[in-house]
Amino acid sequence: MATRFLIISDTHDLQLDETVNEASRPLQLPTPKADVLLHCGDLTQVGGVSSFKKALKMLGSIEAELKLIIAGNHDLELDQKYWEIQCNDEDTPENPEDHDLAVHAMTGPDAREAGVLFLDEGTHAFTLKNGTRFTMYVSPYTPAFGDWAFAYKSDEDRYNKPSHTANGVTSIATNPIPEGVDIVMTHGPPKGILDMCPQGNVGCQNLRRALHRTKPQMHCFGHIHEGYGIEVVDWNKTAIDAPKPRKNEAIHQFFERESTQNPYPEPFAWRRDRKSQTLAINASIMTGDHKPANAPWLVSLDLPRPSQ
């Protein structure tokens, strides 16, 4: 069954207004018809309960039967462990109550009014009104960089059990990506796939290993604004570990990278030829210079319906 997904990420406090009609801002109201809205995290710039409520207002203005949202590293208060550390900072302590207030905003009446389902890390199953069903694994976590939320060390693997981790890496997975999942939504990219920025390929190698193992139909993410684009990955023809670029090669590849053609507001219709393929999408709305100049991805996927 053809199902339309409207995919966005890294909106960073962006507000939508029907009176705004700027060619430099492709994400505008009204958005095209979609069955499912996916937001891959970084709703805000530096968190803040009022900012989460404004983000919900923005999401509420987009029409979709199902709206599935995760946090990102900039959505500070939503990470309980991170926020507890900030509250214990003697120099600039934060308010401990802000975590509960932020979670309540994203899961309470405001979220319900906006039609938003805020998802915790793990695997979730959904059925649309027309009977189409799919499973989706989500995670807001990304490799540690600076003092941001939802971080893990590069030698920690959140996505694989110990039997599937690389040498020298420790599995900390409480919710590993399962076999047979239809869609994966993470905040950050896998290593070597739509993760190029001036610092090189900065995606997660352990996430790449999990995707190589599970081969979902679609993987959407954001986080690395400069990596915006779409790519079909055939895992049977792709190494489990990303190759290391030679000296100065990464920065050269970044500046030579061609922009991806996005047919938005028309859908990008895709049907995979073989089960080893994954449609990878970096849906960052913000560009590398923090302007909302990237268009959403409207993707049409074939998903199963229950047998009659």
Side-chain angles (χ1 to χ4, degrees):
M1 182 73 177
T3 303
R4 285 189 174 190
F5 290 82
L6 182 65
I7 307 167
I8 59 177
S9 186
D10 295 78
T11 47
H12 290 289
D13 293 327
L14 179 67
Q15 293 297 299
L16 303 182
D17 186 341
E18 291 189 11
T19 64
V20 174
N21 186 20
E22 298 179 12
S24 61
R25 291 182 54 171
L27 177 54
Q28 298 180 20
L29 297 176
T31 55
K33 181 180 179 181
D35 300 298
V36 184
L37 169 67
L38 301 179
H39 193 301
C40 310
D42 276 1
L43 298 154
T44 67
Q45 183 59 30
V46 287
V49 175
S50 62
S51 293
F52 290 121
K53 291 183 177 181
K54 290 178 181 178
L56 287 171
K57 181 180 179 181
M58 181 272 289
L59 295 170
S61 68
I62 298 175
E63 292 190 16
E65 178 183 335
L66 197 58
K67 303 177 185 181
L68 307 177
I69 314 300
I70 61 172
N73 61 308
H74 281 253
D75 300 322
L76 305 182
E77 291 92 338
L78 293 174
D79 183 349
Q80 183 175 8
K81 291 184 178 180
Y82 171 86
W83 199 247
E84 288 174 353
I85 294 173
Q86 304 308 306
C87 292
N88 291 327
D89 189 322
E90 294 182 356
D91 296 328
T92 56
E94 299 287 356
N95 185 352
E97 295 180 357
D98 283 352
H99 166 70
D100 292 334
L101 292 172
V103 172
H104 182 262
M106 295 304 299
T107 59
D110 289 337
R112 289 193 292 272
E113 183 178 352
V116 164
L117 287 177
F118 178 70
L119 303 178
D120 291 324
E121 183 181 59
T123 304
H124 307 263
F126 303 98
T127 302
L128 298 176
K129 293 177 181 178
N130 64 6
T132 301
R133 58 187 181 184
F134 62 95
T135 56
M136 186 166 74
Y137 172 89
V138 305
S139 177
Y141 291 88
T142 51
F145 178 79
D147 187 20
W148 297 101
F150 296 105
Y152 54 86
K153 298 177 181 178
S154 60
D155 61 354
E156 295 177 333
D157 189 339
R158 297 194 68 87
Y159 310 107
N160 296 290
K161 294 179 180 179
S163 58
H164 293 111
T165 56
N167 292 333
V169 175
T170 301
S171 173
I172 60 169
T174 55
N175 294 292
I177 302 180
E179 311 285 345
V181 69
D182 296 308
I183 298 169
V184 171
M185 178 166 65
T186 57
H187 180 52
K191 187 79 168 180
I193 299 173
L194 303 174
D195 67 335
M196 181 68 76
C197 67
Q199 290 73 37
N201 294 108
V202 293
C204 178
Q205 178 59 58
N206 301 316
L207 175 57
R208 179 184 174 114
R209 292 180 68 89
L211 294 165
H212 195 285
R213 171 175 57 82
T214 58
K215 302 175 179 61
Q217 185 170 349
M218 182 172 71
H219 175 214
C220 52
F221 48 89
H223 188 46
I224 305 303
H225 300 182
E226 299 90 341
Y228 172 82
I230 196 165
E231 180 178 338
V232 176
V233 181
D234 190 329
W235 296 109
N236 286 349
K237 301 177 182 178
T238 305
I240 191 171
D241 293 322
K244 295 182 179 179
R246 294 186 296 272
K247 186 178 181 180
N248 296 327
E249 182 180 19
I251 193 72
H252 174 75
Q253 289 177 353
F254 170 71
F255 285 111
E256 291 295 320
R257 181 174 181 265
E258 295 183 0
S259 60
T260 305
Q261 296 298 314
N262 186 342
Y264 185 85
E266 296 301 316
F268 181 92
W270 186 70
R271 176 181 293 179
R272 62 178 176 179
D273 298 327
R274 54 189 73 87
K275 292 185 177 181
S276 59
Q277 291 180 327
T278 295
L279 183 66
I281 300 171
N282 184 324
S284 298
I285 295 300
M286 293 294 177
T287 60
D289 55 359
H290 214 76
K291 296 179 180 178
N294 290 333
W297 288 97
L298 183 63
V299 176
S300 178
L301 289 184
D302 278 337
L303 293 174
R305 296 179 66 177
S307 56
Q308 300 299 320

